[in-house]
Amino acid sequence: MSEMWINMGPQHPMTHGLWNLRVKVDGELVIDAVPEMGYLHRGIEKICEYRRYNEVVTLMDRCCYVAGLAWEQLYLMASEQALGVEVPERAEYIRVMCQELQRLASHLMWYAAFVMDVGLMAPFGYGMRDRDIILDLFQSFTGARMTYEYMRVGGVRNDLPVGFTDRCRKVMGWLEQRVNDYEDLCDRSDIFLKRCIDVGVLKAKDCIRDGITGPMLRAAGVARDLRRDRPYSVYPELDFQVAVHDAADVYGRYRVRMEEMRQSLRIVRQCLDWLDHKPGRVIAEKVPRFVGTPSPPPGMESYIVRRGYPKGVGFSAMEEPHGEALAYVVNEGGEQPYRVKFRSPVMVNISAARDYLVGYRVSDIPAIMGSVDICVGESDR
Amino acid sequence: MAGTSKEGSAAASKPLPAPKVAIGPAKPGSQAPAPAASRALAPRTDKARVVEVALPSEAERDKMGKDLLDRMKEHFLGESLEVTERAGVLARVKFPSRSVVTLCTWLRDQGTFGHCAMVAAVDWRETREVLYTLWSDHLKSYLELTTTLPADDPHIESVSQVWPGASWHEREAWDLVGVLFDHHPDLRRLFLPEGYKFHPLLKTFELHEPEDLEVKARTGR
C-alpha cells in the first residue's frame, strides 16, 4: 500500500483552534502523527515581563479563552506567593466558586464540540446554550462574558451582587438535571457509542510516561486530581470526590468529564452556602502599591525606584479543566515580574498524539482529538 | 456491527416494501419494529466511578520526603547537591548540570517521581537556569531540580530519555530561551518558525511597546 502524509490543519474542523496535525496514512490506517504548534503563539510569557502584576491578569484571560478565570487564579496564586500577599477567606471562596463554574463552562463547551465531532448535531445546541447561561452568571458579577479581568493580587475586584447566590443556585439545580439528560442522550446513541468505545486507547502507564494529566489520565484509572492531592485555596474544606474511569478510551474520557460536572455542581453549592453566611473583605488590606498602578510610559521605567519589597519566587499548581497547570513567577524586586512561566496541560496532551492515534482510522481522529479537549490559546500561549 | 451487516445484506437482496401507512403518527396498536442499528450495542451504563483520595498525613509525608532526600544525598555524595527548603514543594535541589540524567533516572526509579511536570528555563543574563518540576504520586508533592548553565554555551543532556513527556518542554525551552538539549530525539522549534533568528525570552530581546510605534507613526520618524 502506498503511504502518504496528510495535513489536518491549521484550518480543520477537528483542530478546534489553529494547529496542524500531520498524519501519515496507509490507506485508512494512521501509522504516524506529528502535531505542529505555534499558530497562536503570542508571546504571553514575554509580555508578562513588561507588565505590572495586576496588568498580567488581562493577558491570562486571553491565554485560555474557555477557562480564563482558572488561569487568572493560577497566575495570581504564584504571584501572591512571590510578593508575600495574603488573600482573605471570602475572596478564596469566590475564587473557588469561579473555578468550578469555569470548569462547568469549559466542560459544556467541550461536550458541545466533541459530540458534534462524533456526528450528533443536537447536543451542540444544548451544550452551547447551557454554557451561555453560566456566562450570564459571570457577566452579572464580573461584567464580562469571556475576558473577565476579575481577580486581583490579594483577592477579587468586587463582591458578588445582591441576590447572586439564589440565582446561581437556581441555575445549578437546573443544570444538574440537564447533565443527566445529556448523558442519557449519548447513552442511547449507537453512533456515539460506536465511535467512542475502544477508540484512542492510552493506558495508565503510557499516560504517565507521556506526562498526560487531567480527565485523560483519570479516564485511564489514575485518581490524580491536584484539588485533592495537593490541595490549594479552600479545597480541603470542601466535600467532593474524584471521578475515575477504567476504559482509557474516548468513552472513558467522556464519562469522567460528565461526572466532574456533577462534582463541580456540588462544590459550587457548598461555596454559595458559605458565601451566604460569611460577609467580609474580598481583597487583602496590604497589597504593595505598585501592583495596582499603571506601567510607567516606555523609557521612564528607570526613573522609578522601588524599595523595601522582598524578592521571591512563586510556584502554584492547579487542576485546570484540561489538566495540571503550573505557574512559576520570579520576582526580582522590579515592578514587573522578572520571568513568568506556565505549564499548559493541553500542550503536553497534544504532544503524545502519536501514541494515541497510531493504529486507528483517519475517521477516528476527530473523535480522539475531540476527547483530548484542546484549547490552543493555552497550549501556544 | 453484526446486526447492521445482516440487515444490509437482506435489504440488498430484495427491494424495500412500499410503506403501508401514510405519513402520520403511529397508531397505538401497531408496533413499528425498532431499526436494527439501535440494537447493535446495548446502552452502556458504566459511568465514571467516584473515589476518595487518601492523602498521607502531614507528618507522614514530611518523614517520607526527608527519607527520600537523605537517600538521594547519600547516593549522590560526590555530586555536591544543594538541598534547600521552598514553600509549596518538597525541596529545591541544585545539582551540577553534568549529572542530570543519572539524577533524574534515580529519582524516577528509586524516588517515585514518575511524572515530569515541567521543564523551564530562565535567563539570568550571565547564566541560564534550567528548572525541572517533578511530581510523585506516592509522596503527593512536587520536587524542584535546578541547575545553572553558562550563557555563552548553554547546553545540557536531555531528559526525554527518562521521561518522554519532557520532550516538548525541552523544545519550548530551546525555542524561547535558547537552551540546547543534547541527544534530544527531535529538537526543533516548537512555536516559532524554523530558522528564526531570536530566542524571544532572552533578556537581550527587546519588546516594542505599541505606544512606541504610535509615536513613530505620528512623528514620521
Side-chain angles (χ1 to χ4, degrees):
Chain A
M1 243 331 207
S2 62
E3 296 167 355
M4 67 171 170
W5 284 96
I6 300 179
N7 280 312
M8 293 181 93
Q11 312 263 2
H12 189 279
M14 173 276 296
T15 55
H16 297 298
L18 281 175
W19 62 285
N20 186 11
L21 178 68
R22 299 182 65 224
V23 284
K24 193 180 188 184
V25 293
D26 180 358
E28 275 292 303
L29 210 63
V30 178
I31 50 177
D32 199 357
V34 181
E36 283 173 359
M37 311 301 291
Y39 292 88
L40 212 60
H41 179 62
R42 292 147 293 173
I44 282 183
E45 288 172 6
K46 182 73 177 178
I47 306 174
C48 289
E49 295 172 12
Y50 286 74
R51 295 283 182 275
R52 294 197 178 189
Y53 286 91
N54 268 349
E55 291 175 331
V56 173
V57 173
T58 313
L59 298 171
M60 290 300 97
D61 290 322
R62 275 85 181 162
C63 191
C64 182
Y65 35 73
V66 290
L69 285 166
W71 280 73
E72 283 182 21
Q73 189 181 354
L74 173 74
Y75 158 74
L76 286 173
M77 284 195 301
S79 51
E80 277 152 7
Q81 194 190 334
L83 293 164
V85 176
E86 289 283 325
V87 183
E89 199 177 12
R90 188 173 168 84
E92 291 279 21
Y93 270 93
I94 294 179
R95 282 184 178 186
V96 167
M97 183 198 72
C98 291
Q99 277 312 300
E100 296 304 322
L101 285 175
Q102 193 73 88
R103 194 181 311 276
L104 279 166
S106 174
H107 281 5
L108 282 169
M109 173 105 186
W110 163 82
Y111 174 79
F114 166 69
V115 179
M116 201 163 82
D117 278 348
V118 299
L120 305 183
M121 286 296 177
F124 177 75
Y126 295 140
M128 292 307 265
R129 177 195 56 188
D130 289 359
R131 173 171 175 263
D132 241 46
I133 289 165
I134 295 178
L135 295 191
D136 283 343
L137 286 177
F138 281 136
Q139 191 178 10
S140 71
F141 67 95
T142 68
R145 298 176 70 82
M146 273 178 88
T147 49
Y148 310 101
E149 292 149 38
Y150 177 59
M151 298 184 187
R152 293 284 184 272
V153 174
V156 295
R157 186 181 65 208
N158 54 281
D159 208 335
L160 302 171
V162 177
F164 173 82
T165 46
D166 288 338
R167 194 178 153 203
C168 190
R169 251 186 224 111
K170 213 179 278 174
V171 173
M172 293 301 112
W174 186 75
L175 261 181
E176 186 153 40
Q177 183 55 45
R178 304 300 302 188
V179 170
N180 291 339
D181 288 355
Y182 296 158
E183 217 170 356
D184 278 353
L185 201 63
C186 293
D187 281 354
R188 287 153 201 264
S189 163
D190 294 331
I191 302 176
F192 181 84
L193 295 179
K194 278 180 186 165
R195 295 201 63 179
C196 291
I197 293 172
D198 289 336
V199 170
V201 176
L202 194 63
K203 295 285 181 203
K205 210 177 133 213
D206 304 329
C207 281
I208 292 173
R209 183 197 63 201
D210 291 340
I212 283 172
T213 52
M216 256 184 109
L217 178 67
R218 288 193 283 278
V222 181
R224 187 198 294 160
D225 187 328
L226 292 179
R227 291 177 293 172
R228 272 282 177 255
D229 286 348
R230 186 182 177 279
Y232 49 90
S233 201
V234 290
Y235 277 111
E237 268 112 87
L238 299 169
D239 178 30
F240 67 98
Q241 287 156 320
V242 179
V244 179
H245 203 283
D246 296 316
D249 56 2
V250 173
Y251 179 80
R253 289 164 209 157
Y254 145 77
R255 284 295 192 188
V256 165
R257 289 205 177 89
M258 294 316 256
E259 183 56 41
E260 275 184 16
M261 280 200 245
R262 285 196 201 96
Q263 299 295 332
S264 289
L265 291 168
R266 271 176 79 186
I267 302 176
V268 172
R269 285 212 184 93
Q270 292 169 45
C271 290
L272 292 174
D273 288 344
W274 192 95
L275 289 165
D276 262 348
H277 298 111
K278 306 272 174 67
R281 284 188 72 88
V282 293
I283 191 149
E285 278 182 57
K286 282 195 173 176
V287 177
R289 180 171 292 172
F290 63 88
V291 303
T293 49
S295 286
M300 294 288 284
E301 293 92 347
S302 55
Y303 297 100
I304 298 163
V305 184
R306 188 184 131 208
R307 292 195 190 84
Y309 291 111
K311 296 178 181 183
V313 176
F315 170 77
S316 66
M318 165 187 271
E319 192 68 32
E320 205 239 352
H322 307 97
E324 170 200 37
L326 307 181
Y328 184 74
V329 174
V330 182
N331 163 27
E332 263 301 288
E335 302 198 340
Q336 289 98 352
Y338 183 81
R339 171 85 163 97
V340 180
K341 159 82 188 158
F342 298 106
R343 177 209 203 257
S344 152
V346 177
M347 186 189 90
V348 186
N349 289 0
I350 295 178
S351 78
R354 181 182 282 131
D355 294 344
Y356 49 74
L357 286 179
V358 168
Y360 296 97
R361 311 267 160 187
V362 175
S363 54
D364 291 331
I365 295 177
I368 299 174
M369 293 318 293
S371 76
V372 177
D373 192 7
I374 288 164
C375 170
V376 181
E378 168 195 309
S379 78
D380 282 7
R381 299 184 293 279
Chain B
M1 286 306 271
T4 358
S5 59
K6 211 164 75 188
E7 180 72 12
S9 61
S13 60
K14 62 176 181 184
L16 284 170
K20 281 175 189 156
V21 194
I23 303 153
K27 285 180 189 127
S30 67
Q31 289 244 329
S38 74
R39 273 183 267 119
L41 285 165
R44 291 273 298 249
T45 48
D46 50 341
K47 299 196 172 174
R49 294 182 280 129
V50 287
V51 293
E52 291 287 352
V53 177
L55 275 182
S57 72
E58 200 75 20
E60 220 176 344
R61 203 174 345 171
D62 283 353
K63 192 180 165 291
M64 285 196 292
K66 214 175 151 294
D67 271 3
L68 174 83
L69 292 175
D70 287 343
R71 275 196 294 140
M72 182 184 71
K73 275 187 249 178
E74 199 179 330
H75 195 267
F76 291 96
L77 265 182
E79 299 286 2
S80 65
L81 303 182
E82 278 175 49
V83 181
T84 44
E85 287 205 0
R86 264 280 296 286
V89 294
L90 180 65
R92 182 186 170 92
V93 181
K94 200 169 180 323
F95 66 96
S97 63
R98 61 170 190 282
S99 56
V100 60
V101 172
T102 48
L103 179 64
C104 287
T105 311
W106 189 87
L107 282 171
R108 181 195 64 184
D109 297 339
Q110 313 291 319
T112 68
F113 285 94
H115 174 57
C116 177
M118 178 166 81
V119 179
V122 185
D123 176 27
W124 291 102
R125 292 197 176 87
E126 297 85 37
T127 55
R128 287 185 203 162
E129 185 186 2
V130 183
L131 272 157
Y132 301 85
T133 310
L134 315 178
W135 167 260
S136 159
D137 273 331
H138 180 62
L139 296 168
K140 306 271 185 208
S141 53
Y142 286 101
L143 179 71
E144 205 171 280
L145 304 180
T146 166
T147 187
T148 309
L149 306 175
D152 49 359
D153 182 26
H155 69 94
I156 186 167
E157 199 66 25
S158 162
V159 295
S160 300
Q161 42 190 310
V162 187
W163 297 285
S167 158
W168 275 32
H169 292 293
E170 292 185 338
R171 277 179 70 185
E172 189 193 325
W174 155 242
D175 191 2
L176 301 180
V177 195
V179 175
L180 273 166
F181 293 90
D182 301 337
H183 301 110
H184 188 283
D186 180 24
L187 195 66
R188 288 176 296 134
R189 293 263 188 172
L190 182 60
F191 296 137
L192 300 172
E194 205 59 52
Y196 191 70
K197 276 186 197 156
F198 308 104
H199 299 288
L201 258 82
L202 291 178
K203 291 288 169 184
T204 47
F205 184 88
E206 286 283 321
L207 206 67
H208 293 287
E209 290 286 329
E211 292 89 340
D212 269 355
L213 302 172
E214 215 174 278
V215 171
K216 272 184 200 143
R218 247 183 302 154
T219 55
R221 276 186 283 129

